[in-house]
Amino acid sequence: MTYLQNDLAQLATVSTATITMVLLKHGLRNVWLRGTRPLGTGQHRIVGPAFTMRFLPAREDLATPASLASGRSTRAAIEDMPAGSVVVVDAMGTTDAGVFGDILCARMKARGVAGLVTDGVVRDVSGVLGTRFPVWCQGTAAPPSVAGLTFVGWQEPVACGGVAVFPDDVIVADDDGAVVIPKALIGQVIAAGADQERLEAWIMTEVERGVPLLGLYPPNADALARYAATKPGI
């Protein structure tokens, strides 16, 4: 699926916390990818269609150093990634083998990939940070992926951090972690997200001027009326 750049730009202004609230109102609770923490400080919010990758537990006849150069490898997958995508790696929560290191992250950045989200870890952390390629993960480990994982494919449904992610769902990641927006709900999230952000900003100004929380957060009819009066054109 091709998303309009304007749609992605609008989502980039909405926090993951707000997105989870909007999706909750649509009945979706399991959208936050567990274990996806910013690797570096000051990483900007990223948004883009999911490019999925999947690992299985290591099997000695398949997870070998030679497999890294095969046509079905992480290297081959990277060369298939479109610019602007967010790579979502299902590492099954494995934390003792790094899915990527600095060279692979540098190549993804060169290809224009927006960032990496995984429930696993990365290696060569100082080099990865040096690339300034945005990464969300569980941390770091020195061993390579083949020490604990077998790479099996890309652009198929995966489970990352306990969440189902399909290719071309939209991923948003910021300081609170990463969330997935099902592609069927993109329009609704865009429509509701901006107003939810404005509402919460208004609530914060009310809190700062001493208004009690009951009736304000969540807002009752009176609070919503006062909020509506602040909108342009009201």
Side-chain angles (χ1 to χ4, degrees), residues 30 32-34 119 159-164:
N30 190 31
W32 180 72
L33 282 60
R34 297 161 188 83
D119 57 2
C160 185
V163 178

Side-chain angles (χ1 to χ4, degrees), residues 197-231:
E197 291 274 1
R198 286 192 296 269
L199 172 61
E200 293 192 5
W202 175 80
I203 290 172
M204 182 62 78
T205 63
E206 294 292 277
V207 169
E208 289 172 348
R209 72 183 188 89
V211 177
L213 287 175
L214 291 179
L216 176 66
Y217 187 63
N220 59 18
D222 177 67
L224 287 174
R226 289 189 290 115
Y227 166 64
T230 68
K231 291 184 179 180

Side-chain angles (χ1 to χ4, degrees), residues 68-135:
L68 298 176
S70 74
R72 194 173 187 82
S73 64
T74 54
R75 279 69 171 163
I78 287 173
E79 298 307 320
D80 199 34
M81 294 173 181
S85 60
V86 175
V87 179
V88 179
V89 178
D90 172 6
M92 306 175 301
T94 300
T95 58
D96 57 1
V99 294
F100 292 132
D102 53 355
I103 293 174
L104 300 191
C105 287
R107 179 57 181 159
M108 287 188 283
K109 182 177 182 181
R111 288 187 58 78
V113 173
L116 165 67
V117 171
T118 180
D119 57 2
V121 297
V122 296
R123 59 196 301 255
D124 305 311
V125 63
S126 62
V128 171
L129 292 172
T131 69
R132 303 189 67 81
F133 179 67
V135 174

